[in-house]
Amino acid sequence: MNPEELQYAKTHEWVAVAETDGEKIATLGISAFAVEALTDLVYIDLPEVGKQVTAGEPFCEVESVKAVSDIYAPVDGEVVAVNEALPDALETLGSDPYGAGWIAKLKISSEAGLGELMDHAAYEKQCSEEAH
Amino acid sequence: MPYLYNTPEDQQAMLDAIGADSLEDLFAPIPAALQLDRSLDLPPALSEIEMDHTLRTLAAQNAHGGNSVCFLGGGSYDHFIPAVVDTIGSRSEFYTSYTPYQPEASQGNLQVVFEYQSLITRLTGMDVSNASLYDGASATAEATLMAASATRTRKKILVPASLHPEYRATVATYLKNLDLQLITLQTPTGVLDPDLLASALDDSVAAVVLQQPNFFGCLEDAHRVSQLTQAAGALLISAFDPISLGILQPPGAYGANIAVAEGHGLGTPMSYGGPYLGILACDQKLVRRMPGRIVGETVDRHGKRCYVLTMQTREQHIRREKATSNVCTNQGLFALRATVYLSQLGPQGLRETAQLCLQKSHYAAKQLCQADRFTLAFDQPTFKEFVIRDAENNVASLLQSAQRAGYLAGVPLAPWYPELADCFLVAVTEKRTRAEIDGWVQALTTAQGACSKRPDLMAQP
Amino acid sequence: MRNTRDTQSLFELSRPGRRAARLPACDVPEREITDLLPADAVRQAPPELPELSEPQIIRHFVNLSTQNMSVDTHFYPLGSCTMKYNPKRNERAAAMPGFAELHPYQDESTLQGMLAILYEMQEMLQEISGLPACSLQPAAGAQGEFTALLVAAAYFQDLGETRTKILVPDNAHGTNPASAVMAGFEAVTVQTSAAGYVDMEDLAAKLDEQVAVLMITNPSTLGLFEPNMQQIAEQVHAVGGLVYLDGANMNAILGITQPGAFGVDMQHYNPHKTFSGPHGGGGPGAGPICVTEKLAPYLPAPIIVKELRVAKELRVASCESRERKESRVTSCESREQATAAHNPQLATRNSKLPYFRLDTNRPKSIGRVRAFFGNVGVLLRAYVYIRTHGPAGLRRVAENAVLNANYLLSRVQHILPVPQGNRCMHEFVASASELKRQQNISAMDLAKRLLDYGYHAPTVYFPLTVPEAMMIEPTESEGKETLDAFAETLFRITEESAELLHEAPHTTPVSRPDEVRAARQPVLVWNG
């Protein structure tokens, strides 16, 4: 996916929303900036398919050697798919964060959270501020 | 002062460099009102010679391995400690070092713990082991928390009354303020009745804790208990005796998900109950829920094999309130001693040690039970411990009488099991000789019941 | 010089048929295992332990030992761990058969010497704390925290109060919040100010009647005595809460102040730090706790109590060994002499002698947190440490620990600024962030390069509130020369090239292990 066409949460998750069979599905991952900041990731604790998630609440964790970081749900919904290949190939989070490095797909139950998301330009601005 | 090495001149030079007027000045941040205006009310300092004398005097007031023969068990045992264990355990490069935060300066400790983990998994048939916990009881409690976190919605922990009463008490303390319930299943026959277990198992049970051999020394039907537990979707926590695994099936063979043990028998002295070695091993799929430290193999920047603390994100120093446990240290020195002990014994030595325990304990039970006064309390197979019933129901004075003859003859069960007030627990290790066993039988069979008033006398100073 | 052949894995050194231990022949009539044990309880094959000779074992472990730094071989200024000298007389004491070979379920009449020591230990820890009750049971500092929080929970339950929160300053050791959660509470973080003290506004905002306990480390992990300590304690008490002291840093205040005097209701000790019990490569420690009178009923059982009994009765009860067939038990006379020698004032036959009893009848007790009495071997070492120091000696320990830390601070602060000021208690936290910015030298680089110069590294990257933290605790058992040399070495390292430092250490058996690889694909057991 093209990062410029994605939406971003303040907490560094990217989101792509697509409609299939009348249902809105959000695919999400973490941004290249976040992957870089988290340094060498060693483990991801994927959520279970079927899990209900709430916008703004953590639903998944990634770990580096000496830190644990929460991944927050950008919208309310249900986990309908997770990237099963990811735990054994964490390097894809770095090499292809917006493609093969996707983390989970959520079936959106409320779009309320979507309004809080930023476009690419706004997110870039946030990152450049955080970097200083 | 024995361990300071700044001279008065050094101290003055140091104060000058700091810009402080006096030692008192350094404590200025402590409000004067809070400072102690007197000396601590402690006994005056003893020289090394005086200290040694005091300690010898006090040590002489205790009955111990040097002046008594120990038949006591119940989780602490008079097993033999080979000299190599003391030699290595006394290397101050090991015992005066600390947690391997700097792996480059701690490869000795790290490799030892890696070897310890490897030996424990081979001994138990489990996939992984941590670097050790405090003792068998707290390891059991930690295992119940692990099981509860792995099974999420399940809130009950089942334990048979044949699990060590102090382990049950410890688990109860750990669960007390959490949303978890401890249920004790009675064991009138000395072991857990599988039918009783089956009736207690449902989808709210997170784990069953089974001690093998159990507190009474009896062998539980571990296979059946394991099948029932797994079928109900609960986890089996096995509390095993490491020495017994020289001859008994390991927890991995009967499908335990978590195996815990008191490991002091592997080369650590009894020391009146501690410090000891808590062993915890588990299935691969539970590894991220393990409490405590874990050492892993890796390579250094030159590609050389080496060892580091790993999977640290589980631990309190990183995850804080979300950690798998509050445990910080492991029992490094005793993990070392266990590693040396198991290396020294090897597969044959461990097997022979277990065989000696088995044979001698059965001999002891048989000899004692030739007297009409004594019977085995339970009709179950045993390994190195057994429970004796005293037909005269006079356990306290019986044991006191044996004590006067130089035998620490058994552990009375009354404090934990009122229904077994006429019983005592006996352990026979590989150290006991036939002469000692015969002497113990003699001491118990010739004990006079006449001193039964003594406990009353003692109670009224 | 380095022997790498014998430090191969035990499993690589193993050869079938080799063995080190020889067990005695069985001297009782042997029975078939199948007669004694059910077939499905018997192991099919022996465990796959390595097969080694005894000389091989010794060479393996002795060579491994040389790959460690330790207090006995190197200066070890690991902050918050109090790596002081571990006196050898303590080791000898703990190894005496009269202590090491005691079974936990011996009758108390056969343990009077041991119980006398442990009773005295309770009393001495109470005096050092200024708190009137003590439990020696917890196995480590973290377990002491957990135990004390359970004591607090039981106390509030007894009062009919439901309190849910434990306050923990952000620079506290991670065990504090972890213990709070294990004890069934919610851990709430209180901010500390830039100066390193509890942020009084944030405390006020978070303090309410839901707060059961404030856990405080004082002196703190930054090596600072909390200036608002009394006020903090008063405020916590005003809402009915309790103050818990993480006693990790007691070394700084021995005989200077008592936690009971600054408002503490309960505390743990780390005898392996403060009272020199060796750290054992990670343990064992011990975590005895002291509490106020109102919390005493909830302490774990048993507690040792002292009674006075008429000598005649004692004699009958514990010493009537006339009939015994062999002289295995210490003779009656020598035992009495022993008691008398320990208590000369109580020597007369008809006077009362102390008798030490395990008090298990404590109906409000929280129960137990481990099996058996406690980490007695560690407590015994601590006992010897305290008795060989006496009150004046313990105060001098604190004075010299604080003197050494302040002196070292004064020697290094021009290279490594100490954000919290130019004075400290027993330790200080310096920051390498200036060095990092100007010379690209991190706290980690300094730590690793120190190893090359024969110093163990300070604690790095803790507490998290100080960037590029280096937490340095020299302890009292070091001298000025060592501190001077250490400071000079640090300075010399900052003159070295960043490239050299990034690849340090250069002289250790291994250098910069790949921790990412270890965590990504964990190899936790030997599978060669």
Side-chain angles (χ1 to χ4, degrees), chain C residues 204-482:
Chain C
K206 284 165 181 167
L207 201 53
D208 59 27
E209 290 181 355
Q210 286 302 299
V211 171
V213 179
L214 167 84
M215 301 180 84
I216 190 162
T217 310
N218 189 26
S220 69
T221 53
L222 290 163
L224 303 172
F225 194 89
E226 176 59 54
N228 300 316
M229 188 63 227
Q230 277 171 298
Q231 210 184 328
I232 292 168
E234 279 162 20
Q235 290 180 9
V236 173
H237 291 150
V239 298
L242 299 170
V243 176
Y244 179 83
L245 178 82
D246 181 328
N249 301 329
M250 285 299 288
N251 210 42
I253 59 171
L254 292 171
I256 306 286
T257 177
Q258 293 167 303
F262 57 77
V264 166
D265 299 286
M266 31 188 200
Q267 77 156 107
H268 77 256
Y269 284 92
N270 297 109
H272 54 292
K273 297 179 182 175
T274 312
F275 302 126
S276 79
H279 284 68
I289 57 173
C290 289
V291 301
T292 54
E293 200 71 56
K294 68 181 176 190
L295 299 173
Y298 309 96
L299 286 174
I303 303 285
I304 299 172
V305 292
K306 179 161 124 179
E307 294 171 353
L308 291 176
R309 293 184 178 183
V310 175
K312 212 172 90 191
E313 291 176 14
L314 266 184
R315 184 178 151 71
V316 173
S318 67
C319 251
E320 191 179 292
S321 46
R322 303 279 178 232
E323 304 156 35
R324 72 184 186 281
K325 295 187 175 52
E326 40 189 332
S327 59
R328 303 193 69 113
V329 175
T330 316
S331 80
C332 215
E333 285 77 8
S334 75
R335 239 192 240 187
E336 244 168 50
Q337 283 156 6
T339 311
H342 185 55
N343 302 284
Q345 73 277 24
L346 295 165
T348 10
R349 179 58 55 93
N350 287 322
S351 68
K352 292 191 170 185
L353 287 177
Y355 183 83
F356 298 95
R357 194 169 59 76
L358 291 165
D359 181 14
T360 50
N361 182 22
R362 303 178 59 81
K364 290 189 169 184
S365 165
I366 58 149
R368 2 177 99 253
V369 292
R370 46 88 49 82
F372 311 126
F373 183 81
N375 278 4
V376 174
V378 179
L379 298 169
L380 191 57
R381 289 169 171 89
Y383 172 80
V384 176
Y385 186 82
I386 297 171
R387 289 299 313 271
T388 49
H389 278 78
L394 288 184
R395 188 181 165 103
R396 291 199 53 195
V397 164
E399 287 171 351
N400 280 277
V402 171
L403 175 68
N404 280 353
N406 276 287
Y407 178 67
L408 190 55
L409 187 159
S410 76
R411 291 293 317 263
V412 304
Q413 63 181 342
H414 67 287
I415 335 164
L416 289 174
V418 178
Q420 277 73 33
N422 55 9
R423 286 289 177 87
C424 65
M425 298 298 286
H426 62 296
E427 69 186 358
F428 60 93
V429 179
S431 171
S433 44
E434 278 298 297
L435 269 178
K436 171 125 195 199
R437 190 159 59 241
Q438 291 173 3
Q439 291 173 243
N440 194 21
I441 297 173
S442 66
M444 186 60 80
D445 295 333
L446 292 173
K448 297 296 184 195
R449 187 60 175 155
L450 278 168
L451 305 177
D452 281 332
Y453 286 98
Y455 296 100
H456 195 282
T459 301
V460 288
Y461 301 107
F462 183 84
L464 304 170
T465 48
V466 175
E468 295 291 322
M470 298 197 83
M471 188 189 218
I472 305 179
E473 181 181 15
T475 84
E476 74 283 1
S477 58
E478 300 295 336
K480 180 172 175 295
E481 301 102 293
T482 310

Side-chain angles (χ1 to χ4, degrees), chain B residues 42, chain C residues 120-128 383 386-387:
Chain B
L42 298 173
Chain C
E120 205 180 334
M121 195 64 188
Q122 289 176 180
E123 299 273 298
M124 296 193 303
L125 293 180
Q126 287 163 203
E127 167 64 6
I128 294 167
Y383 172 80
I386 297 171
R387 289 299 313 271

Side-chain angles (χ1 to χ4, degrees), chain B residues 42-123:
Chain B
L42 298 173
L46 297 176
S47 67
E48 184 169 3
I49 293 175
E50 291 163 313
M51 187 78 247
D52 192 64
H53 179 71
T54 302
L55 289 168
R56 283 172 191 274
T57 305
L58 289 165
Q61 293 174 33
N62 302 323
H64 56 84
N67 59 22
S68 303
V69 188
C70 182
F71 285 86
L72 307 183
S76 176
Y77 304 98
D78 185 23
H79 284 298
F80 183 70
I81 301 175
V84 290
V85 176
D86 282 336
T87 300
I88 299 301
S90 306
R91 291 285 301 187
S92 55
E93 297 92 329
F94 283 126
Y95 83 78
T96 74
S97 63
Y98 199 29
T99 301
Y101 294 119
Q102 293 295 335
E104 291 94 337
S106 318
Q107 282 301 300
N109 284 332
L110 286 161
Q111 184 171 335
V112 166
V113 172
F114 183 78
E115 291 178 347
Y116 163 84
Q117 292 171 181
S118 306
L119 290 170
I120 294 300
T121 57
R122 284 167 182 235
L123 189 63

